[in-house]
Amino acid sequence: MNVLLHQQDVSGKVAITCACADHDLSHEVSKVVPDGAVYEIVDSSTVPTDCTFRDAWRWAGVGSVITTDIPAARELALTHARNIATAKLKREKDEELLGFDVQATIAGIQTEYQICQASIYSSEDLEVFKSTLDQFSTCYGTSVDWRTDGSLAAS
């Protein structure tokens, strides 16, 4: 199956359009690709399968492969960690309003968040970003899915 690639903006952020199996992607170009934008129809096997840092994918144009912008992925990871910590701290503050002693838990969340942050800042490896977020999420965000698009759902 083929997909249509084009740059969303000057940053090189890539847009990927798929079509139904029986639909020719060349008919979609005028509908989805901005006038004058570079595009390419490629085999879908060239698109990364791990979409964790999808918003950090970049495409330089015809003949190039999709890459992940490490600084952009780092910012996404830091945002996700902050959202996990914020959601957990909010739940703890709600417990505190009900009269529970949560100071030790809050201090632990703050400490672990700082460790998570330091690990992400000190790495250039997407797998480190993912494993750090997975570990932090397992400890503090069991009801938060950090892999969603910034609008994290906390239950």
Side-chain angles (χ1 to χ4, degrees):
M1 181 165 110
N2 288 335
V3 295
L4 170 65
L5 305 179
H6 70 88
Q7 292 177 343
Q8 290 183 346
D9 53 37
V10 294
S11 74
K13 192 172 179 181
V14 65
I16 302 169
T17 303
C18 303
C20 298
D22 62 343
H23 193 74
D24 183 4
L25 273 170
S26 61
H27 298 295
E28 298 299 314
V29 172
S30 64
K31 297 176 189 174
V32 298
V33 178
D35 288 339
V38 175
Y39 70 90
E40 183 175 21
I41 297 174
V42 299
D43 189 270
S44 61
S45 66
T46 64
V47 176
T49 56
D50 183 348
C51 295
T52 303
F53 297 105
R54 165 73 177 83
D55 285 346
W57 288 356
R58 301 295 181 263
W59 180 64
V62 176
S64 64
V65 297
I66 295 173
T67 59
T68 302
D69 179 342
I70 296 297
R74 179 180 292 112
E75 287 306 312
L76 288 169
L78 291 167
T79 297
H80 294 318
R82 184 174 51 253
N83 289 341
I84 291 167
T86 301
K88 181 61 175 173
L89 287 169
K90 182 185 180 321
R91 289 191 302 272
E92 292 302 316
K93 286 294 187 182
D94 289 346
E95 291 290 313
E96 184 178 50
L97 290 172
L98 293 173
F100 295 97
D101 181 10
V102 296
Q103 291 309 308
T105 304
I106 289 173
I109 295 167
Q110 291 168 331
T111 300
E112 289 301 317
Y113 172 68
Q114 291 166 355
I115 292 168
C116 175
Q117 211 177 17
S119 177
I120 292 168
Y121 272 124
S122 67
S123 181
E124 296 288 321
D125 185 342
L126 293 173
E127 291 304 316
V128 170
F129 297 172
K130 284 174 47 178
S131 64
T132 300
L133 286 170
D134 281 340
Q135 183 178 20
F136 190 66
S137 180
T138 298
C139 292
Y140 296 108
T142 55
S143 62
V144 176
D145 182 4
W146 64 265
R147 285 186 168 91
T148 59
D149 64 292
S151 56
L152 296 175
S155 58

